[in-house]
């Protein structure tokens, strides 16, 4: 499965085990977002509208990823996301975020970038820059590091790195 689908499945599992409910403010934001994404005002978000929403956020999901995102929450199997399905998608994402536990891949990446196996230490910024260049990524690495350094220490520790990795999912 692709990472988007895995996140949704993980969220569905956690959500079933620990039902997550949205606050009134979150539901209001869901309604606003749903109305913004439903550009043709059909009462549902179609694949092309979902793609446009992601593109507006600077992402380029494949058709397969879009199909999987919709299929994972499409309770009536009409190939579109209705409002209640959209709310469910947000609940799944919220649940996955609340129940996130750093996995071994995150720890291994932290170690490879200069951190310690016991989750102490910090990223070697040079290694991170070199990796970004080597992979040909178009990422503003300085901004990424600044955003990740939530305690203002000038370094990215394990908790900050894990949060950064979770935000990228």
């Amino acid at each position: 499965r692709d990472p988007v689908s895995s996140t949704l499945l993980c969220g569905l599992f956690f959500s079933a085990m620990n039902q997550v409910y949205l606050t009134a403010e979150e539901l209001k934001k869901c309604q606003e977002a749903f109305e913004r994404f439903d550009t043709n005002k059909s009462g549902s978000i179609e694949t092309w509208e979902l793609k446009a929403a992601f593109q507006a956020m600077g992402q380029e999901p494949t058709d397969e990823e879009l199909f999987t995102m919709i299929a994972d929450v499409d309770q009536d199997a009409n190939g579109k996301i209705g409002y209640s399905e959209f709310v469910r998608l947000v609940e799944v994402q919220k649940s996955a975020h609340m129940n996130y536990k750093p996995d071994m891949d995150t720890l291994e990446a932290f170690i490879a970038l200069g951190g310690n196996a016991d989750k102490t230490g910090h990223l070697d910024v040079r290694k991170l820059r070199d990796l970004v260049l080597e992979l040909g990524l178009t990422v503003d690495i300085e901004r990424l590091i600044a955003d990740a350094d939530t305690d203002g220490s000038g370094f990215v520790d394990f908790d900050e790195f894990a949060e950064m990795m979770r935000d990228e999912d």
Side-chain angles (χ1 to χ4, degrees):
R1 281 205 172 276
D2 59 55
V4 171
S5 174
S6 298
T7 300
L8 286 173
L9 287 176
C10 180
L12 285 170
F13 171 75
F14 282 121
S15 163
M17 298 300 292
N18 307 311
Q19 182 61 46
V20 171
Y21 297 99
L22 301 179
T23 66
E25 181 64 25
E26 289 170 327
L27 285 170
K28 180 181 177 195
K29 288 180 181 180
C30 279
Q31 182 67 41
E32 292 168 0
F34 183 83
E35 290 171 1
R36 194 169 42 254
F37 295 160
D38 181 19
T39 57
N40 68 354
K41 306 303 178 208
S42 66
S44 60
I45 299 172
E46 299 178 37
T47 306
W48 65 271
E49 291 169 312
L50 189 59
K51 185 173 191 163
F54 274 101
Q55 288 173 332
M57 295 182 284
Q59 298 187 24
E60 289 290 335
T62 65
D63 289 341
E64 183 179 345
E65 289 171 328
L66 292 166
F67 174 78
T68 301
M69 280 184 258
I70 291 174
D72 284 344
V73 296
D74 187 13
Q75 296 171 338
D76 58 9
N78 67 355
K80 305 172 188 176
I81 300 175
Y83 178 69
S84 63
E85 294 165 332
F86 183 73
V87 169
R88 178 73 180 134
L89 176 63
V90 173
E91 288 172 339
V92 165
Q93 293 299 311
K94 180 179 178 181
S95 178
H97 190 266
M98 288 172 55
N99 292 292
Y100 172 80
K101 304 270 187 284
D103 60 13
M104 286 306 295
D105 289 340
T106 302
L107 181 57
E108 288 172 8
F110 181 70
I111 294 167
L113 292 171
N116 300 320
D118 64 356
K119 301 180 185 175
T120 61
H122 52 77
L123 294 184
D124 180 332
V125 175
R126 289 170 300 178
K127 286 183 179 181
L128 187 56
R129 278 191 195 104
D130 290 347
L131 179 63
V132 167
L133 289 172
E134 182 181 321
L135 296 175
L137 301 176
T138 55
V139 175
D140 182 350
I141 194 66
E142 299 306 322
R143 180 180 169 101
L144 183 68
I145 292 167
D147 288 348
D149 182 22
T150 57
D151 65 5
S153 66
F155 301 103
V156 178
D157 62 29
F158 179 78
D159 291 333
E160 292 166 333
F161 180 71
E163 182 66 26
M164 177 177 67
M165 297 303 290
R166 175 176 40 205
D167 288 345
E168 295 300 311
D169 287 343

